[in-house]
Each structure stands twice: as structure tokens, then as C-alpha cells.
Amino acid sequence: MDRLDGSANLMLVSDLDDTMVDHTDPDNLSLLRFNALWESTYRQDSILVFSTGRSPTLYKKLRKEKPILTPDITITSVGTEIAYGEELVPDEGWIQLLSKNWNRNEVLEETAKFPDLIPQADMDQGPHKVSFYIPKEKAQEVITPLYSSLTQRGLNVKIIYSSGLALDVLPKGAGKGQALAYLIEKFESIGKPPKNTIVCGDSGNDSEMFTVEGVYGVMVHNSREELLEWYEENARSNHKIIHATEECASGIIQAIGHFQLGPSISPRDTKPFFSNEDNRKPAQFMVNFYLLYESWRRAEVEKSEAIIHNLKSITHSTGVIVHPSGAENSIHQSIDALESCHGDKRGTSFRVWLDKVIVSAIGLDSWLLKFNKWEFNGTSSWCSATTVLLNSKVETASVFCIMHMHQTWLEEYGIGDRQNWTF
Ligand code: GLC
Ligand code: MG
């Protein structure tokens, strides 16, 4: 986490399935609202952590299916694996800690004595996680004797029941809560404790995150019965936890506002661009620029000369955009090309979002922005690494002026076509 000079302003720790990701919404609207908020205002000085029950393999699969951001830290397999950055560099210290007092084979021998436990697929198992399915009616009858038999065998484990169907056996020191406590301690040990931490979840395996000292918490509206019951029995008096009235990622945004942890209005809710007061920071400016681009192509803003004129006023007349193909255009030519693309994505699922927006000041009035720009056209998505040079000094009506843009395909994510490529 060398990216941050000091303490993170906010550490946001979120579960994925049914918390950050709403599987009932094919348009991913609440997730895209969160993404725009995070990239425009939090990415620079805060830490994003995903904490999921999924194994690393299934987590990577979800990243291909849904527009989730790249977190700084990824906790997978129900808090048994911690990894850093996009490359998922494992935390070796955590692995060592969990390996004490854990014998996977002995756990398997004991669990095999309970025929109601249906083993999950191999892909769902982990070095420190043994997982099963068991229906709710049978779960309570099994959990207590299973725990006794594992303990009698001298195994130091915990059993977690989630979503009314999944049962995980983990080392006692593992789990989403312990993994988070370990991370916070790690930040404290280097003198950079996050100023605020908020945890976000919807099901049983998330409950222990809410018990970590000092954290705020949100149970999204669609939370599972077992989490709400846990809250009623154990945490009712904790005013740092709310049950959101909004679902999934919208519930997370709601909680940021409720606890006043920072800005809580997504740029997706404050369109249109040119009447937007919130373009004072380079990252906000860029997020809003691409939201205007999306709205233009979806015909959610009217086709108007004024917008084209305004776009030209926030881009330098000699500025160049280098396309991923290597072709160059003047930025103003690209704006002209965009003019004729108005509404070409009307009524489609076309969306644009930015990930990993990193801003470096390269003088008193210039900034270099680097980010991944994603476009989704309804069936597939593609990504280009983009750098933008922004200047604030040039005489324009807006605060910033785009001087130069350069894009490169990130081939591992698929390549878009050149047709109608403008920004
Ligand atoms: C995820 C995992 C599964 C686990 C469940 C509950 O669905 O894929 O293995 O049992 O979360 O923690
Ligand atoms: Mg979940």
C-alpha cells in the first residue's frame, strides 16, 4: 500500500455477491453508481477491500462478468486468503498464521461422518477452507455435534453458516472478521491506521466483520435472515451499524452518507456535466467527462451545439488523442466525430466506467491522470489503459483543459473495434 503517503481517509471493506454486486440487476446500476463515486472522490486517498467467500478462481470469474472495480486488497475464501494489488500477491504472514493448529485431512475425516453435509465443488475448497452445502432445516442439528467432534479431535476451528445453504469450516483464527482485524493491525503497525473503516455485507459469513473494533457497518437492505438475526441478538445496541433501506451497492453509498464518512452523491446522480459543480478535482472531472460521453451516445442528453461547443472549450485546440490502434486524431476532430455518434447507443446497455484513476500533479497547474477506461456494449466489454494530461491554466470556461490523451488496449480484457471510436 505504498500508494498512500499517510493514513487512508476511508477503508471500505465490502462483500461482493449480493452486497457490492446485485445479481438481480442486469444493468448493474447501483454498482456503476458506486464505481463513479469511488473513482471520482475516494480512489486517491482511500483503500478499497473486497472480502468474499469466493475462491480466487471464482473471484476472477466474477470480475469478468460484472463491472467491479480493482480493489487494493482482496480477501477471498471467507477470510482465509489475503492478497494485494491487481496481481493478487498473497500475504504470506497470514498463510503462516492460519497453518498453525490446522489439519485439513483431519477436518475432512470428521466432516465425512455427517452424511447431511454435501461437499461443495473442488473450486470452492481452499487450503484453509472446507466447504459444504446443507439446507437450513438440517444445519442447526449438524453444526453443534460437528463442532464438538472437531474440537474433541483437538482441531481449533470455526464453523460459519451463510445464505441459508453454505457451511464453511475454517481455522479458528480465520474468517472475514479476523482477516480484517489482521489488516487493520498491519496498518497500525506502520503508523497508518485508516481514519475510518466501514464494512458492508449481506450474509452469515459477513457478521464477524461487524464485530471488529471501531468499524462502521452496513447490512444492505437485501441482507439475509441469518445476518439480521445475528444483529438482533448481538449488535442491536451498536449504533455504528445500520440496516440500509437501499439494496446492494446503493446501500453502501447510503451508509457512507449516513455516517458522514465523506461525499455520498454519485456523479451518476448529478448529470449533466456542464452544470455540474463537482468538477473541481481532476478525478471528478474525468469521471464526469466519460459520463457525458456515455449519456451522449445513449441520447440521455439532447444533441446540442452547446455541448459540442463546451466540449471544445475544455479540450485544447492543438491537443491530440492517440487511439489504441496507434492512429492519431486532434481532440477537436474526435469531438466532431462524437457529434455524429449521438444516440448510436440509444436504448442499449452501453455503459462506460473508469477504474484505478490515479492522479499525479506534475506542476502547480498540470496533472497526469492514468486509468482504465471500460466500455460495455451489451454483450462484451473492453478496456483501454488511458493517460490524460490536464492543465488548469489555459483560458477556458471550465477549471480544467484536456491537453493530450493516449490509450492502449489491455488485451487480456479483450479488444474493442475501431468503429465509432472517439474517446
Ligand atoms: C461463497 C463461496 C462458498 C462459501 C460461501 C459462504 O459462496 O463460493 O464456498 O461456502 O461463500 O461463505
Ligand atoms: Mg454476500
Side-chain angles (χ1 to χ4, degrees):
M1 287 309 310
D2 305 333
R3 188 168 65 70
L4 300 179
D5 293 337
S7 283
N9 215 11
L10 178 64
M11 175 151 85
L12 189 143
V13 186
S14 180
D15 168 51
L16 291 173
D17 295 294
D18 305 321
T19 301
M20 187 58 82
V21 175
D22 184 350
H23 289 285
T24 66
D25 175 17
D27 295 326
N28 302 303
L29 282 184
S30 62
L31 179 54
L32 291 170
R33 284 179 69 222
F34 175 84
N35 291 358
L37 176 63
W38 189 262
E39 294 300 332
S40 62
T41 22
Y42 289 93
R43 177 65 83 175
Q44 298 310 307
D45 63 6
S46 295
I47 297 175
L48 183 61
V49 183
F50 288 156
S51 188
T52 175
R54 288 179 180 241
S55 61
T57 310
L58 290 174
Y59 162 67
K60 286 179 195 155
K61 185 167 168 274
L62 182 68
R63 290 201 63 188
K64 292 215 165 88
E65 295 162 356
K66 290 283 180 180
I68 54 179
L69 296 179
T70 305
D72 299 289
I73 303 173
T74 314
I75 300 172
T76 47
S77 308
V78 201
T80 62
E81 299 183 50
I82 300 177
Y84 302 93
E86 182 136 38
E87 304 75 26
L88 297 180
V89 179
D91 188 315
E92 298 292 343
W94 185 240
I95 299 175
Q96 274 172 24
L97 267 179
L98 297 192
S99 299
K100 285 182 195 156
N101 267 328
W102 170 254
N103 185 323
R104 203 172 188 283
N105 287 335
E106 288 186 22
V107 171
L108 286 173
E109 278 168 30
E110 288 305 312
T111 50
K113 296 174 188 164
F114 294 81
D116 287 330
L117 291 173
I118 303 149
Q120 291 186 15
D122 286 350
M123 213 186 265
D124 274 310
Q125 311 293 345
H128 297 99
K129 169 177 178 281
V130 182
S131 296
F132 302 90
Y133 293 117
I134 182 165
K136 211 167 102 191
E137 317 79 69
K138 290 189 181 157
Q140 271 322 315
E141 293 163 25
V142 167
I143 289 173
T144 314
L146 173 66
Y147 185 72
S148 323
S149 77
L150 288 162
T151 314
Q152 268 163 29
R153 181 100 183 228
L155 295 164
N156 222 358
V157 299
K158 67 163 71 159
I159 298 173
I160 300 177
Y161 191 58
S162 303
S163 310
L165 90 171
L167 185 145
D168 304 309
V169 183
L170 317 174
K172 191 149 232 134
K176 290 186 176 191
Q178 309 269 36
L180 174 58
Y182 171 85
L183 276 181
I184 292 179
E185 222 177 280
K186 220 169 158 168
F187 283 117
E188 276 166 358
S189 74
I190 54 166
K192 294 182 182 180
K195 290 192 190 108
N196 286 305
T197 299
I198 182 166
V199 303
C200 321
D202 76 296
S203 82
N205 69 10
D206 298 315
S207 67
E208 42 173 73
M209 293 202 286
F210 293 89
T211 66
V212 175
E213 213 188 308
V215 305
Y216 293 94
V218 52
M219 303 181 291
V220 291
H221 183 65
N222 48 294
S223 284
R224 297 284 183 155
E225 197 181 312
E226 80 255 347
L227 180 64
L228 298 174
E229 272 169 12
W230 169 88
Y231 170 78
E232 287 298 324
E233 284 162 24
N234 303 281
R236 259 189 84 91
S237 58
N238 183 349
H239 299 299
K240 288 179 102 176
I241 303 177
I242 56 162
H243 182 198
T245 56
E246 302 211 26
E247 316 240 311
C248 299
S250 292
I252 300 176
I253 298 175
Q254 184 187 5
I256 293 176
H258 177 88
F259 294 120
Q260 301 187 345
L261 300 175
S264 60
I265 297 176
S266 171
R268 282 198 174 265
D269 303 332
T270 58
K271 290 182 284 185
F273 182 83
F274 293 108
S275 55
N276 193 337
E277 292 291 303
D278 294 324
N279 285 327
R280 280 175 293 247
K281 289 192 173 160
Q284 291 174 329
F285 175 87
M286 219 58 244
V287 167
N288 282 314
F289 176 85
Y290 275 104
L291 285 176
L292 174 66
Y293 166 81
E294 178 193 290
S295 314
W296 181 266
R297 297 189 65 179
R298 289 175 61 90
E300 282 168 356
V301 286
E302 268 179 41
K303 187 168 186 176
S304 81
E305 270 306 314
I307 291 182
I308 295 299
H309 176 80
N310 280 335
L311 277 173
K312 286 189 176 165
S313 77
I314 58 158
T315 49
H316 199 263
S317 56
T318 64
V320 165
I321 175 162
V322 182
H323 288 199
S325 62
E328 283 184 19
N329 240 358
S330 90
I331 296 179
H332 282 193
Q333 269 173 348
S334 252
I335 294 171
D336 291 335
L338 182 65
E339 186 169 10
S340 54
C341 293
H342 183 268
D344 68 339
K345 303 289 184 191
R346 191 196 305 259
T348 71
S349 311
F350 177 71
R351 294 288 172 191
V352 181
W353 67 97
L354 305 188
D355 183 22
K356 298 207 292 181
V357 180
I358 297 302
V359 180
S360 331
I362 51 171
L364 287 177
D365 46 28
S366 309
W367 292 265
L368 193 66
L369 279 77
K370 195 178 162 300
F371 51 87
N372 287 351
K373 186 206 69 171
W374 285 88
E375 293 198 27
F376 177 70
N377 70 357
T379 39
S380 49
S381 47
W382 53 84
C383 175
S384 51
T386 306
T387 27
V388 176
L389 182 64
L390 278 191
N391 198 317
S392 69
K393 221 166 129 195
V394 185
E395 288 297 311
T396 55
S398 78
V399 190
F400 298 110
C401 183
I402 299 177
M403 308 296 291
H404 183 80
M405 300 178 90
H406 195 141
Q407 302 187 324
T408 308
W409 291 127
L410 283 180
E411 293 196 26
E412 58 181 309
Y413 298 120
I415 289 182
D417 56 31
R418 269 205 62 192
Q419 207 196 349
N420 289 343
W421 185 272
T422 52
F423 288 101

